[in-house]
Amino acid sequence: MTNSAITRGFTLIEVMLAMAVFAIAGLALLSAASNNARNMGYLEDKMFANWVAANQLVTVNLTQTWPPKNNAKGEVELAGRQWFWHQKVIKTTDKDMRAIVMEVRLDEEGKLPLTSLTTYVSKVEQ
């Protein structure tokens, strides 16, 4: 038999290089999956917080009373969790309108809200 008839296999360096490439690709895939799972939880919290804020703003609009320029706080349960809302009534340049900002947090003393929605109400003529 001649040398040309002998089949050659992969060298140790080629095998180690292939393993390194697959290991790096596996780590990148694992990192992407982890980030995706973390973001899904955040988006779920943000969605529920938006629902809480929207519900509170609808409640304010349904009362049909002129909102005082004070800050109200409260909590509500949604999806088996407690949500803390903070209502800020802000005077506008029009004396017959006020802005209402509704902020929602997961914990009562949280610095940054998960969401913040704003609506405007006008004075009801009687």
Side-chain angles (χ1 to χ4, degrees):
M1 285 195 149
T2 64
N3 281 342
S4 62
I6 300 175
T7 40
R8 291 181 25 125
F10 290 108
T11 64
L12 181 59
I13 292 175
E14 291 170 334
V15 170
M16 290 178 67
L17 183 62
M19 287 177 58
V21 167
F22 284 123
I24 291 171
L27 287 175
L29 184 63
L30 186 62
S31 175
S34 173
N35 285 338
N36 186 33
R38 187 174 27 253
N39 288 338
M40 288 298 291
Y42 173 75
L43 289 176
E44 181 180 280
D45 288 346
K46 188 131 176 105
M47 178 186 66
F48 285 131
N50 277 323
W51 286 354
V52 169
N55 289 344
Q56 293 304 315
L57 289 176
V58 166
T59 302
V60 168
N61 282 327
L62 288 176
T63 60
Q64 294 184 350
T65 59
W66 186 238
K69 290 184 281 183
N70 66 355
N71 298 331
K73 291 183 179 183
E75 65 182 87
V76 66
E77 183 179 340
L78 180 68
R81 295 171 74 178
Q82 289 298 114
W83 300 88
F84 299 93
W85 56 268
H86 185 182
Q87 170 185 309
K88 297 177 185 176
V89 180
I90 302 168
K91 188 177 177 181
T92 63
T93 56
D94 184 349
K95 65 178 177 68
D96 292 331
M97 290 194 76
R98 291 210 176 132
I100 301 175
V101 178
M102 192 67 63
E103 295 179 344
V104 178
R105 294 171 174 81
L106 274 173
D107 56 353
E108 194 168 9
E109 301 302 322
K111 292 189 180 206
L112 293 175
L114 270 172
T115 192
S116 177
L117 294 181
T118 302
T119 192
Y120 294 88
V121 293
S122 62
K123 192 178 274 190
V124 178
E125 296 296 324
Q126 306 227 0

